[in-house]
Amino acid sequence: MKQPKASASRRSFLKVSALAGGGMLLSFNFWAQAKPLPGQPLTDAKDWVELNGYIKIYPDNSIKIINPNPEFGQNVMTTLPMIVAEELDVDWQKVIVEMGPHDNVKLGPQFTGGSNSTRMYWKPLRDAGAAARNILVQAAAQTWNVPLEEVSTKQGMLYHEKSGRSGMYGDFALKASAIPLPKNPKLKDGRNFTIVRSAQKNVEGMKIVTGKPLFGLDYAHEGMLVAMIEHPPAFGKKLQSFDASEALKMPGIRDIFSLPLYPENYEQSGFDTRTFNDLLVVVGNTTWEVMNARKKLKVIWQPIESSNEIIAGFRGKTNVTIPAGLENTDEQLAKMAAFANQPAQLLRKDGDPETAFKNAAQIIEHTYTAPFLAHNCMEPVNCFAYVTDEKALLVAPHQAPGWIEPSLSKILNLSPDKIEIQIVRMGGGFGLKAYGHFLTEAAIISKKVNAPVKLVYSREDDMTYGIYRPMYTATYRAALDKDKNLLAFHVKGGGIPEHAVHQNRFPAGAVDNYLAEGWAIPTNITIGAFRAPGSNFNAAAEQSFLDELAEAMGKDPIDFRLELLQRAKEKPVGRNNEYDADRYMEVLKLVKEKAGWNDPANKKYSRGVAAYFCHSSYAAHVIDIVEKNGKPYIERVTSAVDCGIVVNPDAATNMVQGAVVDGIGNALYGGITHKDGVPGQNNFNRYRLIRMREAPERIDVHFVHNDIDPTGLGEPPFPPVFAAVANALYKKTGKRFYNQPFYKDIPNA
Amino acid sequence: MAILSLTVNGKKHQVDVDPKTPVLWVLREHLNLTGTKYGCGIAQCGACTINLGDTAVRSCQLPVSSIADKAITTIEGLSEKGDHPLQQAWIEQDVAQCGYCQAGQIMSAAALLKTKPHPTDDDIDAAMSGNICRCGTYLRVKAAIKTAAKG
């Protein structure tokens, strides 16, 4: 077998550029990652024939599939290559999966978040697999001199039945690589899927259970130093001055200095987060030595002045007010209560809600609150950087490196092709690791000390840095006539510093008179996306309120929702309703059936239900509480989910089970409080996370079977958990739970 | 600084470190054994769990000078080929999501099975109470421990 010529790889690159479609030329470094991984055959990298950005074939018929998207536990390393393998028609067990380089031209958007991975890569990866299969078939047909239609494939083999000829993909890969990739290759009929919809184990499972270095924090580089940043102890403070003389004498310390994160007048993108701009940096040989030296720093902090920041986000430029002052949770709650009574921004209005409320026989009104939440990824924030005047290498556990590269380019004054960002597995992300401050921090620190540097956040640094889920509140009102018919529905939501109202979601569209309003209070505490942003509170409040409303109307909570959805289906109110009433009803019906909602055998449980739509998917849960050791215990959860085609069913089940446990944990225990700007929780002794004994015994997950292209899964099952917990707790305790975290109102919790 | 010797996964090592350095950082940054994870530094999350003899301990709070000649086992040394019953069960149950906490989970479970080869649910809850999984894989962790105990 001859080796592919350089020109061939260049041509493959160009072909793939067209295939990837829509991506900007941010960087390219083909062949850069073609190293075999530990435990994989030591094949010679240059003998791999690249058919397109996602597929490489070796002469011995080894198939390598490149995962484009950052992995943070949603299992894309397995799921996405499965989609390619399906259309390529290869034996999944023989596929080698490799994490791709950061290369938006070859590999598409490379963004993990918004439950987007499978949704946005489904079609491109099917196309990539089918197109590669197509050119392999063409190569075989040409070689055998037979009509194209007579060549078939099966599990990495090509066949010409009439003549009895056959060959491996590996035999034809080089020839195929010279054939142009078809633009719209014929895709498989979904009924013939053999890999998609089959349960496949995590391809990195063995590495995980044997402790191989997989994560950003595990990365090592020759001559690498460790850097940590001493950030202000409180939001609303900044660096005034420091005395590092004692700290510099500590063993292993190389340098201590301050420098600004972003230069003056720098225009931030939506992902150029900045909680604190003046960085006080300690650099040393090892993490432990740097941690110790930090204790010897003498720092004077000063109050910030209020300011405005222009953020250039996806939806244009926004002006963000950052007030001065040291905030307190009690005052924040009082402020939210006061704002709730003031006029707010109108988000949606159908019919005449004002009149309906005026004429109501009964008004039901309740207010819900939820605290700031820290992401608490098990792997604290970290990033490796090695920046010189000529180039930059970053090894980043990051959800979307392509969003940060333009910032690095500006700040480091290097063109994008001089910046290589290697994507590594994240020990959790939950939204936090979509933000860019820590990449930029690592890069400017490396540049300053002129050495390879790993920036490490301690758990305390990580938990007290901000980028929290916002603090939220919402007041829900419903107007009933004397016969308990629902006349009007009103949601007025607020938050610090944003509200969570999704005005076009259920029950919008199901009620004649509907009003949605929102308001926000600025803060100097920074916030960011947290698993199902906005939805995670919106669902908690709305689905608790619907439960209380159903009770007031004398209706079963599932039947009540189904009635509203039936109305939204038959005669929808207003425009822009985001959800599909049929799919929404389907998950409710499925969970009702699977949970045995009306089965007398389940009378021993205190049961709560909730459902929600977000990220194009639908989820419903029934939570069953018993008493255990004198307190309520969630013993069993039944979940129904419609996320379209389920690519990897057991992994998807794992994801839903995890979302349920995560939801229970955050609903019961989550929260960051503040006193004089200082977070009240800085580690897991004060920030309670759910542990094994508090997790349910069983979580039964049921997927709606349909042929809809995959929609989101990482986030949709999470938001309705909170309300299902609250509604079940009500059945157990007779008390409604309006304020998260709920454990404060549960005796002995 | 002092030269200390320690036995990790059956191999003797000498390290020149501050005697107060936690075993976690000696493993990770002096011996390049990064399977043992940093999660909290205050023995609250269990990501750093190793076995000291047959006992599960949090290596982030364990000064390297305190272990004397007790044998350390880390995730890298639990088996030669990744075929410890717990490792096999973890793969069979496809436990991991992000995977960061799983080495610590497995090392806690390994110590449990040494003292209680057939643990009850309560035994498992008690032994695993120091290990946090932020992805929420507890049901599968428990199922994998039971699978390994059966095998």
Side-chain angles (χ1 to χ4, degrees):
Chain A
M1 174 64 73
K2 280 191 296 183
Q3 290 166 8
K5 290 179 224 128
S7 61
S9 28
R10 174 69 189 163
R11 187 178 29 69
S12 317
F13 163 68
L14 291 172
K15 282 194 296 188
V16 175
S17 305
L19 185 76
M24 289 185 303
L25 189 87
L26 292 173
S27 73
F28 59 90
N29 48 359
F30 43 87
W31 302 116
Q33 293 285 301
K35 298 184 284 286
L37 296 172
Q40 292 177 348
L42 285 169
T43 45
D44 193 343
K46 60 186 184 298
D47 280 347
W48 284 99
V49 179
E50 183 171 279
L51 295 190
N52 59 41
Y54 302 101
I55 298 162
K56 291 173 188 173
I57 296 181
Y58 199 70
D60 72 354
N61 218 26
S62 296
I63 311 286
K64 196 182 274 187
I65 298 184
I66 311 301
N67 166 44
N69 233 29
E71 171 68 79
F72 69 174
Q74 82 283 42
N75 210 14
V76 281
M77 274 294 278
T78 307
T79 305
L80 296 185
M82 281 171 69
I83 300 169
V84 179
E86 178 70 69
E87 294 288 351
L88 182 60
D89 199 8
V90 288
D91 180 355
W92 175 250
Q93 301 311 325
K94 291 182 184 158
V95 167
I96 299 164
V97 171
E98 192 175 279
M99 181 67 228
H102 171 232
D103 185 339
N104 294 146
V105 175
K106 268 180 140 177
L107 298 173
Q110 300 193 283
F111 155 53
T112 284
S115 296
N116 258 317
S117 299
T118 305
R119 209 169 9 151
M120 75 186 171
Y121 274 107
W122 171 249
K123 181 71 166 49
L125 293 185
R126 290 187 74 186
D127 284 347
R133 178 185 166 278
N134 177 291
I135 53 174
L136 286 162
V137 167
Q138 287 191 54
Q142 283 171 18
T143 307
W144 294 336
N145 199 20
V146 298
L148 209 56
E149 317 73 71
E150 291 180 7
V151 177
S152 63
T153 61
K154 196 178 179 189
Q155 300 219 317
M157 295 290 291
L158 291 143
Y159 298 96
H160 183 247
E161 225 170 281
K162 275 190 195 162
S163 62
R165 272 177 289 195
S166 67
M168 306 185 298
Y169 282 7
D171 299 332
F172 295 95
L174 190 63
K175 183 162 185 163
S177 72
I179 299 170
L181 287 158
K183 273 206 179 112
N184 294 301
K186 192 169 180 297
L187 300 179
K188 263 191 184 175
D189 182 328
R191 283 171 298 190
N192 299 329
F193 285 156
T194 57
I195 299 171
V196 167
R197 285 190 155 136
S198 72
Q200 300 298 341
K201 307 269 187 231
N202 188 331
V203 295
E204 299 209 286
M206 182 54 91
K207 290 183 202 158
I208 289 168
V209 302
T210 53
K212 295 286 180 297
L214 280 173
F215 300 92
L217 205 59
D218 302 340
Y219 186 81
H221 190 284
E222 202 185 340
M224 182 178 83
L225 302 175
V226 171
M228 297 184 87
I229 297 167
E230 185 78 14
H231 72 61
F235 298 100
K237 287 193 177 175
K238 64 176 182 179
L239 183 65
Q240 181 176 321
S241 63
F242 66 96
D243 172 2
S245 51
E246 291 297 312
L248 275 166
K249 287 183 207 152
M250 294 290 285
I253 297 309
R254 297 293 192 93
D255 203 354
I256 299 177
F257 52 87
S258 72
L259 82 174
L261 171 57
Y262 300 123
E264 242 178 278
N265 300 322
Y266 175 77
E267 186 177 270
Q268 289 167 262
S269 83
F271 293 89
D272 287 338
T273 32
R274 126 163 90 182
T275 302
F276 307 106
N277 202 59
D278 297 318
L279 311 178
L280 171 51
V281 183
V282 181
V283 181
N285 295 334
T286 66
T287 309
W288 176 247
E289 287 168 322
V290 174
M291 282 178 168
N292 277 327
R294 287 175 63 186
K295 294 177 194 157
K296 303 284 181 187
L297 286 170
K298 295 190 186 91
V299 192
I300 298 172
W301 310 101
Q302 60 180 332
I304 61 165
E305 303 87 41
S306 46
S307 61
N308 283 293
E309 275 180 1
I310 311 285
I311 312 268
F314 284 148
R315 295 184 201 101
K317 289 184 187 180
T318 48
N319 193 335
V320 180
T321 303
I322 300 164
L326 304 175
E327 299 185 26
N328 290 286
T329 301
D330 291 351
E331 290 162 19
Q332 287 165 332
L333 284 166
K335 221 179 196 179
M336 291 206 303
F339 259 71
N341 291 319
Q342 290 171 18
Q345 186 195 353
L346 176 68
L347 301 171
R348 171 163 168 160
K349 185 168 161 177
D350 298 320
D352 184 358
E354 290 86 355
T355 306
F357 274 99
K358 211 179 283 171
N359 298 335
Q362 185 185 359
I363 292 175
I364 297 165
E365 173 177 334
H366 295 289
T367 296
Y368 302 81
T369 67
F372 290 108
L373 292 176
H375 296 81
N376 292 329
C377 308
M378 290 311 293
E379 180 192 27
V381 159
N382 67 87
C383 183
F384 169 84
Y386 190 10
V387 178
T388 64
D389 288 340
E390 289 78 40
K391 62 180 180 178
L393 167 68
L394 280 88
V395 179
H398 195 264
Q399 293 175 221
W403 292 352
I404 310 306
E405 197 181 61
S407 310
L408 292 170
S409 174
K410 272 189 266 178
I411 290 164
L412 301 174
N413 197 24
L414 287 171
S415 61
D417 62 305
K418 299 282 191 283
I419 300 172
E420 180 188 350
I421 305 179
Q422 288 181 14
I423 300 170
V424 284
R425 190 178 188 91
M426 288 165 272
F430 303 101
L432 175 67
K433 291 173 184 166
Y435 296 98
H437 57 276
F438 57 100
L439 273 65
T440 307
E441 287 168 352
I444 60 174
I445 292 167
S446 170
K447 190 172 180 177
K448 161 93 179 164
V449 299
N450 195 23
V453 167
K454 183 159 66 182
L455 171 68
V456 178
Y457 277 39
S458 69
R459 173 56 57 194
E460 291 82 0
D461 297 335
D462 185 287
M463 201 181 288
T464 59
Y465 186 84
I467 324 280
Y468 300 136
R469 196 284 299 270
M471 195 170 176
Y472 287 129
T473 185
T475 300
Y476 284 81
R477 298 163 72 220
L480 304 182
D481 68 13
K482 60 178 175 26
D483 300 321
K484 307 271 185 201
N485 293 309
L486 179 60
L487 296 177
F489 191 93
H490 177 202
V491 52
K492 187 173 179 182
I496 303 175
E498 62 184 34
H499 67 75
V501 178
H502 289 107
Q503 65 270 25
N504 295 323
R505 292 198 187 151
F506 183 75
V511 188
D512 288 319
N513 303 297
Y514 175 89
L515 179 63
E517 301 173 280
W519 52 266
I521 300 170
T523 180
N524 54 41
I525 297 166
T526 52
I527 57 114
F530 183 108
R531 195 173 203 168
S535 302
N536 56 42
F537 174 70
N538 211 20
E542 166 208 298
Q543 291 286 314
S544 294
F545 183 71
L546 289 182
D547 201 70
E548 198 158 354
L549 184 54
E551 188 183 41
M553 296 168 75
K555 293 184 176 181
D556 173 87
I558 295 181
D559 294 343
F560 172 53
R561 287 172 172 83
L562 290 173
E563 275 173 33
L564 288 172
L565 287 159
Q566 191 64 34
R567 163 69 208 273
K569 179 191 172 182
E570 286 168 3
K571 208 178 144 205
V573 180
R575 279 171 301 177
N576 304 324
N577 298 325
E578 285 179 18
Y579 58 95
D580 177 328
D582 273 323
R583 292 180 75 186
Y584 207 137
M585 282 192 278
E586 192 69 29
V587 291
L588 277 163
K589 287 176 187 165
L590 185 60
V591 87
K592 185 179 177 178
E593 177 207 328
K594 298 292 184 186
W597 184 248
N598 293 323
D599 184 345
N602 290 320
K603 284 241 184 301
K604 61 178 174 174
Y605 294 115
S606 304
R607 323 193 81 188
V609 67
Y612 202 66
F613 155 82
C614 65
H615 301 91
S616 307
S617 292
Y618 301 78
H621 307 291
V622 168
I623 279 184
D624 291 338
I625 291 185
V626 295
E627 189 160 308
K628 190 173 164 189
N629 304 324
K631 54 187 172 188
Y633 167 64
I634 297 169
E635 185 177 272
R636 191 175 75 170
V637 182
T638 310
S639 305
V641 178
D642 176 357
C643 61
I645 292 167
V646 182
V647 177
N648 190 0
D650 188 51
T653 297
N654 193 354
M655 177 71 83
V656 177
Q657 291 169 330
V660 168
V661 173
D662 188 13
I664 294 170
N666 276 295
L668 291 179
Y669 313 122
I672 288 267
T673 56
H674 294 91
K675 190 161 190 295
D676 298 328
V678 180
Q681 298 71 27
N682 66 359
N683 207 322
F684 299 132
N685 54 343
R686 295 190 198 149
Y687 198 115
R688 187 167 169 187
L689 294 185
I690 189 167
R691 291 174 188 265
M692 183 181 278
R693 70 167 78 248
E694 295 134 1
E697 266 173 29
R698 277 178 63 182
I699 303 172
D700 299 324
V701 180
H702 305 275
F703 290 99
V704 173
H705 192 90
N706 59 33
D707 294 319
I708 297 167
D709 285 354
T711 50
L713 187 62
E715 287 158 302
F718 180 65
V721 176
F722 293 70
V725 170
N727 298 340
L729 278 172
Y730 166 67
K731 292 287 183 188
K732 181 72 200 156
T733 64
K735 272 194 340 187
R736 288 284 174 186
F737 286 76
Y738 300 111
N739 303 302
Q740 297 171 33
F742 300 145
Y743 83 95
K744 290 184 296 184
D745 299 320
I746 305 171
N748 309 319
Chain B
M1 304 294 266
I3 298 197
L4 297 166
S5 57
L6 62 167
T7 308
V8 181
N9 301 331
K11 223 171 124 186
K12 272 203 185 307
H13 296 271
Q14 289 209 322
V15 286
D16 184 9
V17 292
D18 169 2
K20 290 200 286 290
T21 309
V23 170
L24 167 68
W25 295 112
V26 174
L27 292 171
R28 289 186 59 84
E29 296 189 342
H30 296 268
L31 302 178
N32 298 323
L33 292 168
T34 54
T36 307
K37 300 299 187 217
Y38 167 68
C40 71
I42 58 166
Q44 290 289 314
C45 79
C48 67
T49 306
I50 57 168
N51 287 180
L52 197 57
D54 287 347
T55 313
V57 294
R58 315 297 174 213
S59 66
C60 72
Q61 287 274 293
L62 185 70
V64 64
S65 59
S66 71
I67 54 170
D69 55 355
K70 278 187 232 127
I72 290 173
T73 308
T74 71
I75 189 70
E76 292 94 340
L78 188 60
S79 66
E80 254 179 56
K81 294 174 181 163
D83 54 359
H84 185 282
L86 282 166
Q87 289 168 318
Q88 288 177 328
W90 241 254
I91 286 178
E92 190 184 322
Q93 296 288 341
D94 215 11
V95 173
Q97 286 187 30
C98 86
Y100 193 79
C101 75
Q102 300 297 350
Q105 304 271 4
I106 291 171
M107 296 313 291
S108 285
L112 167 68
L113 293 188
K114 275 186 189 156
T115 51
K116 289 186 175 154
H118 301 287
T120 63
D121 274 38
D122 279 347
D123 292 335
I124 296 174
D125 283 349
M128 303 306 290
S129 66
N131 291 80
I132 293 172
C133 173
R134 180 68 184 79
C135 300
T137 64
Y138 295 120
L139 281 76
R140 286 172 187 245
V141 169
K142 194 183 264 189
I145 295 170
K146 288 180 180 176
T147 303
K150 254 186 244 157

